Amino acid sequence: MKIKYYTYTGAVLLAIGVMASCKKSFLELTPQGEFLESNYYANPAQALTALVAAYDPLVTETGGLDGTYTDPLGPLNSASDDCFAGGGGSSDVPDWQAINNYTMTPAVGPQAGFWAINFQGVNRADVLLEKLPNVPGLSEDVLKRYTAEAHFLRAHYYFDLVRLFENVPLILNTLQISEVYQQPQAKPEEVYAQVEADLTAAIPDLPVTVAASENGRVTQGAAKALLGKVYLYEKKWALAASTLEEVNGTPGGTSTYGYKLLNNFGDIFSPTNKFNSESIFEIVHTGMQNYTWSNWNQFKSNVYVQMVGPRSFTGPIYYAGGYGFNPITPNLVAAMKGDPRYPYTIANIDSLTKATGTSYDESYQGTGYYIEKYAPKVKNIVTTGLTDLNWPNDYIEIRLADTYLMEAEALVQAGTNTGRAGDLLNAVRARVGLAAETPTLDNIYKERRLELATEGHRWFDLVRTGQAPAALAFKGFQAGKNEILPIPLTETLNGTQIKQNPGY
C-alpha cells in the first residue's frame, strides 16, 4: 500500500469549500489549511470542520490522492451498456477507456482513484470516531450526531470499496506508519458486516430531517436507504424489503420521512430544484467557486457535466459545449425509444443540429446521442470562475424511485407480498404515464435501467444480478474476472500484505 492512502493520522486536510446552490450550507466552511492532529479537536468548531473533511471525499471529483480524475460516474457509465467512454480519442482519459474496453491492468484503469478517495474517507471517519469523545465543550447531542455521521460515512466508503474490489483491508482505527504495510485484506463478508454495524449504529442518532442550511448532511432516511441497499447486495431479501419499506412508505404517497415521487421526471435533475422530495442522499456541488485549471484537486463543482457535453457545440440556447465523454450506446437508445423518460435522459444531438442549423464535433465512439440528465446547458451557466469548471448540478446518489425498485426486487426475491412489489414498480411507471406491469424480476430490472439510466447504477446492477457477462460481452467483459476491479499496482508493492485480485 502507498503510505499516503492511510497516514492521515498526522494531519487532517481541511481545505473545504462546498455550497448547496447559492445559499450557504453546512458544507461551506472557510478554508482552514492544515492542522496537526495533536493541536486539533480542541473545540466544537474544529470538530465540525473535521466532520466536513470526512464528507469531502464524497464530492471531490478532480484529483484523487494519486492525482487522477476520480468522478465515479465517468468510469461506471463507461463500464456499463449505457455508454461508451468517448472523449477526444482512444487515449483521452485512459482510465475510462480501459474500463470501457475491459482492458484494465493493475497499472491502468480507474481503480487508483476509487481506492484512494474511498480510503481517504475511511481514514477521516476513523480519526473522527477516535477524537470526538474527547473534544472539550461538545454537547452530548452534538457528539451523538457527529458520531452517527462518521459511522454512516465510513459505511458508505467501505460499501463502495467492497463492491468495487471485494478484497480490501478493514481498517477501523488510525495507524502508525510502521503498521501501514502490515494490513491484510479482510473477507468480503467481514467488510459487509462492518458496514451493517456502522449503519445500524448511526441510524438512531441521525435527524429525520435537516434544515436547508444543512442540506447535504446525512439523515436517518438516507442511512436506512443505504442499509436496505446493503442487505440487497447481500441477498438478505427480507431485511432489505423491511428496511426499505420504512424509507418508502405507501407507494406513490409521501413517506414518514417526507419523500415523494416528483410529478415531472425531468425536474429531478435540475440544479434549480436541489434537495427535492425525491432526493434521499444528495452529493452537493457548487457553481459559486471562482476556480480555474490552476485549482486542480480543489474543485467542488460538477466537472462531469462539462465532460459529457457534445464537443464544440455551437448554438446560443442549448448546450454550452463539452468534451464528448460517455456518448450513449445504441443499445440504450433502442431500449428507451418511446419511453417518456427518453428526452430527459438522452440528447439526440445529431437530430438537434440538423433541425436547428447548429453544429458539433462527434466524439470518439460517438453515436450522436449524449447524456441529457447532466448536460452542460446554457441556462445553467454561472458567472463565477471558468464555466467549464463551475457547473452547479448536484448528484442524487439515492433517490426514491431507486429505493422503490430495490424494495420491489427484494419482495419478489423473497416471494412475499408481490402485491406491494407491483404497487412500487407501477408507482414509478405511473409517474411517467406508463401502464402497469407484472412485478417480475425481469420487469423490475428493465425498469431500473430505464429509470436510472446514466446515474451510475447500471454496472453494479448487472454485476450483482449475474447479467454482466451477457450484457457486456460486446465490450469484452470476462466472467470471473471483471466483476471486480484490479487492486492498484502500487498497493501490492514494497512488501505489503495486499494480494492482487484474480485474473489481473
Side-chain angles (χ1 to χ4, degrees):
M1 268 173 291
K2 277 185 171 178
I3 293 177
K4 64 181 178 181
Y5 292 173
Y6 291 106
T7 58
Y8 287 90
T9 53
V12 179
L13 306 185
L14 299 169
I16 313 301
V18 182
M19 301 174 67
S21 66
C22 296
K23 296 181 180 179
K24 210 167 180 71
S25 77
F26 158 71
L27 292 177
E28 183 191 10
L29 295 181
T30 302
Q32 302 290 320
E34 295 184 6
F35 295 85
L36 291 176
E37 184 187 298
S38 58
N39 298 329
Y40 211 63
Y41 297 93
N43 54 58
Q46 290 182 348
L48 175 60
T49 307
L51 175 63
V52 173
Y55 273 90
D56 186 56
L58 294 175
V59 75
T60 300
E61 67 163 12
T62 52
L65 298 179
D66 63 346
T68 58
Y69 177 56
T70 59
D71 179 85
L73 284 179
L76 290 175
N77 281 335
S78 298
S80 77
D81 55 351
D82 283 355
C83 301
F84 294 115
S90 61
S91 62
D92 200 353
V93 187
D95 294 346
W96 295 18
Q97 307 297 338
I99 197 169
N100 174 78
N101 298 324
Y102 289 94
T103 56
M104 291 175 291
T105 69
V108 180
Q111 62 272 7
F114 280 128
W115 184 280
I117 206 69
N118 280 296
F119 270 118
Q120 183 186 67
V122 166
N123 182 264
R124 292 183 182 185
D126 283 345
V127 172
L128 199 59
L129 288 167
E130 288 184 4
K131 298 296 182 180
L132 281 174
N134 299 314
V135 175
L138 201 62
S139 71
E140 183 178 354
D141 286 346
V142 173
L143 172 61
K144 285 183 178 180
R145 183 178 181 185
Y146 287 8
T147 300
E149 288 175 277
H151 277 296
F152 171 90
L153 290 168
R154 185 167 68 181
H156 185 286
Y157 296 128
Y158 260 123
F159 184 48
D160 272 358
L161 284 164
V162 74
R163 288 190 298 163
L164 289 165
F165 298 102
E166 192 170 284
N167 304 298
V168 297
L170 184 58
I171 300 172
L172 305 177
N173 55 274
T174 54
L175 300 175
Q176 300 299 317
I177 292 177
S178 60
E179 300 173 303
V180 170
Y181 290 100
Q182 305 308 313
Q183 302 306 307
Q185 288 147 299
K187 295 178 180 178
E189 54 267 29
E190 295 172 342
V191 179
Y192 272 106
Q194 183 60 48
V195 171
E196 286 186 28
D198 275 337
L199 291 172
T200 301
I203 287 169
D205 294 323
L206 289 170
V208 173
T209 59
V210 297
S213 61
E214 294 184 326
N215 278 338
R217 294 183 78 169
V218 66
T219 62
Q220 192 174 105
K224 285 187 178 180
L226 184 57
L227 180 58
K229 186 173 183 175
V230 171
Y231 287 144
L232 190 77
Y233 274 71
E234 295 181 282
K235 295 180 169 50
K236 296 180 178 179
W237 309 122
L239 281 171
S242 61
T243 304
L244 291 166
E245 182 177 4
E246 294 179 36
V247 176
N248 294 333
T250 302
T254 303
S255 78
T256 56
Y257 291 107
Y259 306 134
K260 189 178 190 303
L261 295 176
L262 294 185
N263 291 328
N264 187 340
F265 180 79
D267 288 345
I268 299 169
F269 313 101
S270 172
T272 62
N273 196 30
K274 297 187 177 193
F275 300 100
N276 57 65
S277 66
E278 193 159 334
S279 174
I280 296 176
F281 187 58
E282 187 162 336
I283 308 299
V284 185
H285 291 288
T286 176
M288 302 301 292
Q289 59 187 15
N290 193 27
Y291 285 171
T292 66
W293 286 110
S294 63
N295 297 102
W296 186 261
N297 279 26
Q298 300 173 41
F299 303 139
K300 304 305 172 191
S301 61
N302 195 332
V303 179
Y304 184 68
V305 169
Q306 180 69 22
M307 295 289 283
V308 302
R311 296 174 67 85
S312 304
F313 184 88
T314 61
I317 61 172
Y318 302 108
Y319 303 100
Y323 303 151
F325 284 90
N326 286 160
I328 304 294
T329 62
N331 182 303
L332 179 60
V333 173
M336 293 209 72
K337 284 290 188 182
D339 191 289
R341 291 162 290 200
Y342 178 101
Y344 305 108
T345 303
I346 299 172
N348 186 339
I349 303 299
D350 269 357
S351 292
L352 176 65
T353 54
K354 290 172 183 176
T356 60
T358 54
S359 65
Y360 79 108
D361 293 336
E362 186 64 275
S363 68
Y364 173 65
Q365 299 173 314
T367 61
Y369 299 92
Y370 290 83
I371 291 176
E372 177 70 9
K373 287 179 179 177
Y374 307 111
K377 298 179 181 177
V378 170
K379 65 181 180 181
N380 295 330
I381 291 176
V382 297
T383 58
T384 52
L386 184 64
T387 295
D388 292 19
L389 305 177
N390 286 282
W391 293 102
N393 307 56
D394 281 2
Y395 169 50
I396 306 177
E397 185 180 276
I398 306 176
R399 60 183 179 89
L400 191 61
D402 180 14
T403 57
Y404 271 23
L405 294 171
M406 285 194 287
E407 185 192 343
E409 179 182 341
L411 288 168
V412 172
Q413 291 279 17
T416 59
N417 202 348
T418 54
R420 179 175 170 84
D423 291 342
L424 291 159
L425 168 64
N426 291 314
V428 174
R429 292 179 59 77
R431 185 257 295 277
V432 293
L434 292 172
E437 286 190 340
T438 305
T440 64
L441 287 178
D442 284 346
N443 284 340
I444 293 169
Y445 295 155
K446 176 184 175 183
E447 200 65 32
R448 283 190 64 81
R449 186 186 192 188
L450 302 180
E451 174 72 22
L452 304 170
T454 74
E455 295 180 44
H457 303 291
R458 177 64 174 173
W459 183 78
F460 284 122
D461 282 348
L462 290 174
V463 169
R464 72 176 178 82
T465 60
Q467 300 175 80
L472 300 174
F474 76 105
K475 285 192 166 188
F477 185 98
Q478 297 179 48
K481 174 183 177 181
N482 295 135
E483 288 84 358
I484 53 178
L485 304 187
I487 305 295
L489 178 64
T490 50
E491 304 302 318
T492 62
L493 303 177
N494 300 319
T496 73
Q497 300 298 307
I498 303 295
K499 306 299 182 186
Q500 187 54 258
N501 278 334
Y504 294 104

